[in-house]
Amino acid sequence: MKVLVLGSGVIGVSSAWYLARAGHEVTVVDRLEGPANETSHANAGMLSFDHSTPWAAPGVPLKAIRWLLQDMAPLYINPKALDMRALRFLARMLGQCTTARFQVNKARMLRVARYSAGCFKQLREELPLHYDGRCQGTLELYRTEKDLADAGANVAILKRYDIPHALLDVDACIRQEPALANVREKIAGGVLLPGDETGDCHKFTCALAEACETMGVAFQMNTRVDAIATDNGKVTGVRTSNGTLTADRYVMALGCESTRVLRGIGIHLPIYPFKGYSLTMPVLDEDRAPQSTVMDQKYKVAITRFDQRIRVGGVAEIAGDNKDLPPQRRAAIEYVVRDLFPGGGEIEAGEFWTGLRPMTPDSVPILGHTRYNNLFLNIGHGTLGWTMSLGSSRFVADVVSGRTPGIDPEGLGADRYA
């Protein structure tokens, strides 16, 4: 079949890869000049297959209130952004903060993330992709004995879902990340998730896009998606800045932009843009730089190692579609890397970036069928777009092709918001 993929981020390009592998004629459309130039461009660099967990969890509402009173917090709410869209989303997210909903959502996320982990392994065996990838796990770092003791609830969750992990004392944390020896007095211990990986999502997506092109995938860039045309329960075309494009099947992978386009055909989904920030700097001193990913559990900031760069990513901000780069946000993530890895990276030369992550209230992506029999969704991955990219895209490609997916589709579709 002829398939049109809307969006050239990591989700769109991964969709194109699996659709082309299934034998379809695929075209990818995007308003930007090249792949992965928006939300996929400079994310935290984590492949969090085992770190996947819902933002909505028991205890989060009380934590959020405390965060509002802190200068450095994992979540910021811009009062100017609290319109009805934001308030409705936050209300739905609040409704997911029960123990029962958390367990359901966690299981669904892990189903996709673990499937994606296997897809990444298989892809690396098939393609020589170069994206500064490392397979050394994530170290969740706790700064105080109290925080480490409170981590018992998180460890219990890891055990419940059979997630490989190890509790580390200070010396073991330093063996995992030798540069922490320089700040050993600032840490109390950690939890190692050895199944997680790291790498540059932009490099990965561009390399996969090149592989797609060798398989015949066409990329129509600098083409804005304006609207979808429908008739009698099916999509008849996509109106773009370069005319109307038609296909047999259509895959929506426009991230936060998806909601605007889908509203035009009566599909209303609770996806909200969670604004995130990152800072990417050259390695200054190898002995003072991280080796993989260190997640500072106090500030929820991830410090990730690429080959000759360090990426620091964090913060979720309710700010609507705003893409400003406030200096206080840079100062917050600079503080963490200066504090834990002083002298490791050339912070002053760091590239400050922001992206809008398409979040759902339950943190579970929206995959598969819609009310239109030839329109399919691959959206709503929130902060785990790269982590879930291959798994969700292989799932959607199977659904488009009429094949039985490799994982249970229960709870992954748009029908849960009907």
Side-chain angles (χ1 to χ4, degrees):
M1 295 178 291
K2 184 177 180 181
V3 183
L4 193 65
V5 176
L6 308 180
S8 70
V10 68
I11 302 296
V13 172
S14 299
S15 298
W17 168 256
Y18 285 110
L19 288 164
R21 286 284 307 274
H24 304 302
E25 179 186 342
V26 183
T27 299
V28 178
V29 180
D30 200 293
R31 63 182 173 80
L32 300 174
E33 294 183 354
N37 275 342
E38 208 156 39
T39 302
S40 300
H41 184 73
N43 65 15
M46 303 168 65
L47 286 165
S48 306
F49 306 122
D50 290 337
H51 193 74
S52 299
T53 197
W55 276 75
V60 165
L62 289 177
K63 289 180 181 178
I65 293 173
R66 292 199 299 269
W67 291 336
L68 292 176
L69 304 176
Q70 296 176 7
D71 291 332
M72 287 184 56
L75 175 66
Y76 292 96
I77 298 179
N78 185 335
K80 296 179 180 179
L82 288 178
D83 55 12
M84 287 307 299
R85 177 177 65 148
L87 291 172
R88 281 195 298 267
F89 180 86
L90 290 172
R92 298 188 79 154
M93 192 172 181
L94 183 64
Q96 299 291 323
C97 290
T98 66
T99 299
R101 291 309 310 166
F102 176 85
Q103 291 176 354
V104 168
N105 298 333
K106 175 81 173 182
R108 290 171 176 173
M109 293 177 72
L110 284 174
R111 191 192 320 155
V112 179
R114 287 171 167 174
Y115 183 54
S116 196
C119 293
F120 269 89
K121 183 176 185 297
Q122 184 177 11
L123 184 67
R124 283 197 299 269
E125 293 171 351
E126 184 175 345
L127 290 177
L129 299 179
H130 301 289
Y131 56 94
D132 292 6
R134 296 188 177 202
C135 301
Q136 295 171 236
T138 294
L139 175 61
E140 297 180 346
L141 198 67
Y142 295 89
R143 289 175 175 263
T144 68
E145 293 294 341
K146 180 182 183 302
D147 290 340
L148 188 60
D150 291 344
N154 292 335
V155 172
I157 292 171
L158 297 175
K159 292 179 179 177
R160 181 182 304 132
Y161 294 100
D162 296 322
I163 296 172
H165 66 281
L167 296 174
L168 307 184
D169 60 15
V170 174
D171 289 334
C173 287
I174 292 172
R175 285 194 294 272
Q176 176 68 19
E177 288 287 351
L180 291 175
N182 299 298
V183 294
R184 66 175 300 135
E185 73 282 358
K186 296 181 179 180
I187 61 178
V191 177
L192 176 65
L193 299 171
D196 285 356
E197 302 175 12
T198 62
D200 186 324
C201 181
H202 180 259
K203 282 188 173 184
F204 173 87
T205 307
C206 290
L208 187 59
E210 291 181 5
C212 284
E213 287 183 308
T214 65
M215 294 184 66
V217 174
F219 284 81
Q220 186 167 329
M221 308 308 291
N222 298 303
T223 301
R224 185 185 64 252
V225 174
D226 292 326
I228 295 175
T230 65
D231 183 54
N232 197 27
K234 68 179 298 184
V235 173
T236 57
V238 175
R239 292 195 289 272
T240 77
S241 56
N242 289 321
T244 298
L245 305 177
T246 62
D248 301 308
R249 300 286 187 271
Y250 301 82
V251 174
M252 172 62 70
L254 282 172
C256 294
E257 276 287 292
S258 301
T259 55
R260 172 187 63 81
V261 179
L262 291 171
R263 277 198 305 270
I265 57 173
I267 297 177
H268 300 274
L269 296 172
I271 292 176
Y272 190 87
F274 266 39
K275 188 179 184 182
Y277 299 89
S278 74
L279 185 68
T280 308
M281 66 198 74
V283 171
L284 193 61
D285 185 340
E286 178 68 33
D287 293 334
R288 291 180 169 270
Q291 295 303 306
S292 187
T293 292
V294 173
M295 170 63 75
D296 186 332
Q297 288 295 88
K298 180 175 182 178
Y299 301 111
K300 304 297 183 185
V301 169
I303 307 170
T304 299
R305 177 64 183 272
F306 297 159
D307 284 354
Q308 295 302 319
R309 295 171 296 150
I310 300 170
R311 169 81 45 83
V312 191
V315 180
E317 185 173 2
I318 305 296
D321 299 315
N322 181 292
K323 286 189 175 181
D324 292 345
L325 289 165
Q328 62 268 33
R329 301 291 181 261
R330 175 169 181 152
I333 57 178
E334 274 191 13
Y335 169 81
V336 175
V337 70
R338 287 184 193 275
D339 199 47
L340 292 179
F341 295 96
E346 191 176 353
I347 295 176
E348 294 74 15
E351 177 186 352
F352 191 36
W353 173 89
T354 188
L356 302 178
R357 301 166 297 195
M359 183 70 71
T360 60
D362 56 10
S363 298
V364 180
I366 304 173
L367 311 177
H369 295 282
T370 69
R371 70 179 70 169
Y372 300 95
N373 60 22
N374 61 341
L375 174 64
F376 304 86
L377 305 179
N378 196 0
I379 56 178
H381 300 76
T383 58
L384 295 171
W386 189 26
T387 295
M388 296 185 175
S389 60
L390 294 189
S392 63
S393 297
R394 186 171 182 176
F395 174 94
V396 170
D398 283 339
V399 173
V400 171
S401 305
R403 299 174 177 173
T404 300
I407 55 174
D408 185 353
E410 184 277 326
L412 304 180
D415 55 346
R416 72 181 189 270
Y417 293 116

